[in-house]
């Protein structure tokens, strides 16, 4: 049976969990990589008759995960794959505070999870699928903080800016190959997740933009994880995907809405 393969990190909660749920379709095979597995997701997959694997892994130590992913892909028969997509969604804020006040181990862990892990997973994924004739895609979940500088956001902002630049460079590499992968770093907008709660509960002295995030919730400006997942996956499956290496979903919502109505 020809299948669409999806590898999704950070799939145990928030938008990642909602993306996993929305990808539970008969034509798909899904590998979720998170610190914890989700029994409700496993139950949903069983009811839907969808092939689902969940790996419990800590992306603060990404090398073994990248090696396992390469082995998992190498064991597949490419002729049975219609498309294969890596979605780097896992992330951590680390600490929203001036850089000199952040503990060295917090800096190391945040940069590793937010940037080094996606880089290593991409490297293994692209190497393992380099000869595949099926559609190969990488979707990196970025953030508006990659472009908008804020006091107290150096750690997270730098990691996401690095992810954007990583995507730009790898997209150029892949464009040189006849069957190169499509690479996109996508900011999904402001979403009602645990990460948003962390921002609202932060120290306003260390993170002066805290009030902005409080107001976003108070005015109903946050997108639900389910709707954010729908928008992200709609863009992933849109013909435009891959035409720009760095995208903000906010600028694509009208296009996506029109394509759904059509």
């Amino acid at each position: 049976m020809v299948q669409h393969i999806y590898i999704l990190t950070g799939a145990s909660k928030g938008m990642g969990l909602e993306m996993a749920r929305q990808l539970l379709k008969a034509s798909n095979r899904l590998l979720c990589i998170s610190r914890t597995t989700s029994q409700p997701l496993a139950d949903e997959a069983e009811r839907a008759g969808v092939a689902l694997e969940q790996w419990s892994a800590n992306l603060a130590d990404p090398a073994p995960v990248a090696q396992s992913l390469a082995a998992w892909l190498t064991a597949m028969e490419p002729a049975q794959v219609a498309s294969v997509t890596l979605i780097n969604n896992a992330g951590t804020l680390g600490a929203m505070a001036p850089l000199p006040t952040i503990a060295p181990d917090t800096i190391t862990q945040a940069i590793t999870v937010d940037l080094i892990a996606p880089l290593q997973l991409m490297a293994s994924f692209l190497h393992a699928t380099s000869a595949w004739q099926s559609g190969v895609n990488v979707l990196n979940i970025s953030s508006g903080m990659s472009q908008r500088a804020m006091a107290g956001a150096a750690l997270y902002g730098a990691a996401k800016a690095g992810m954007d630049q990583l995507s730009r460079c790898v997209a150029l590499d892949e464009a040189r190959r006849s069957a190169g992968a499509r690479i996109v770093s996508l900011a999904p907008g402001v979403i009602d997740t645990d990460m948003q709660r962390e921002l609202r509960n932060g120290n306003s002295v260390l993170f002066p933009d805290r009030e902005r995030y409080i107001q976003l919730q108070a005015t109903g400006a946050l997108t639900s994880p389910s709707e954010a997942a729908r928008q992200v996956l709609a863009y992933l499956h849109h013909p435009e995907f891959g035409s720009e290496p760095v995208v903000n979903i906010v600028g694509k919502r009208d296009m996506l809405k029109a394509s759904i109505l059509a």
Side-chain angles (χ1 to χ4, degrees):
M1 176 180 170
V2 177
Q3 292 181 309
H4 297 278
I5 309 298
Y6 295 90
I7 300 109
L8 172 63
T9 69
S12 62
K13 61 182 180 179
M15 187 180 74
L17 178 58
E18 293 301 327
M19 281 195 287
R21 285 175 170 154
Q22 293 176 31
L23 287 169
L24 292 179
K25 298 180 180 179
S27 60
N28 296 345
R29 179 177 177 182
L30 185 58
L31 169 61
C32 294
I33 305 171
S34 307
R35 283 179 297 176
T36 59
T37 59
S38 169
Q39 188 57 50
L41 182 64
D43 294 341
E44 287 184 45
E46 184 176 3
R47 288 193 297 269
V50 176
L52 167 70
E53 292 182 53
Q54 297 188 78
W55 293 357
S56 177
N58 186 357
L59 290 175
D61 182 20
V65 186
Q67 292 168 2
S68 295
L69 176 60
W72 187 80
L73 289 165
T74 301
M76 288 188 178
E77 175 49 62
Q80 297 301 310
V81 178
S83 70
V84 57
T85 301
L86 170 65
I87 305 176
N88 280 311
N89 169 70
T92 178
L93 284 175
M96 303 303 290
L99 188 62
T101 70
I102 303 174
D105 58 342
T106 299
I107 293 173
T108 299
Q109 182 180 40
I111 293 297
T112 300
V113 171
D114 289 342
L115 183 57
I116 296 175
L119 193 156
Q120 291 196 348
L121 290 174
M122 281 178 67
S124 289
F125 173 81
L126 292 171
H127 180 74
T129 60
S130 60
W132 292 22
Q133 297 304 305
S134 52
V136 179
N137 310 293
V138 176
L139 171 58
N140 293 320
I141 300 301
S142 185
S143 168
M145 286 191 192
S146 69
Q147 301 291 326
R148 185 176 189 268
M150 298 184 202
L155 189 55
Y156 188 70
K160 292 303 184 180
M163 177 176 277
D164 287 355
Q165 188 68 350
L166 167 66
S167 301
R168 291 185 184 99
C169 293
V170 178
L172 291 173
D173 290 335
E174 291 299 308
R176 299 174 63 196
R177 302 196 308 113
S178 59
R182 299 186 299 172
I183 313 290
V184 174
S185 184
L186 177 68
V190 286
I191 309 167
D192 192 8
T193 61
D194 289 346
M195 192 172 284
Q196 281 289 321
R197 282 189 283 277
E198 285 185 57
L199 292 171
R200 294 194 300 271
N201 293 333
N203 185 320
S204 58
V205 175
L206 299 176
F207 179 54
D209 278 85
R210 171 177 176 262
E211 183 61 30
R212 174 176 179 266
Y213 290 92
I214 293 173
Q215 289 304 311
L216 285 172
Q217 184 199 35
T219 57
L222 300 180
T223 305
S224 71
S226 177
E227 175 58 18
R230 187 198 65 77
Q231 291 176 8
V232 168
L233 293 177
Y235 187 72
L236 170 63
H237 297 127
H238 194 277
E240 185 182 289
F241 183 85
S243 61
E244 304 172 74
V246 177
V247 175
N248 192 313
I249 200 70
V250 174
K252 303 296 181 181
R253 284 174 176 159
D254 288 345
M255 178 192 75
L256 296 175
K257 187 183 297 184
S259 66
I260 291 171
L261 292 175

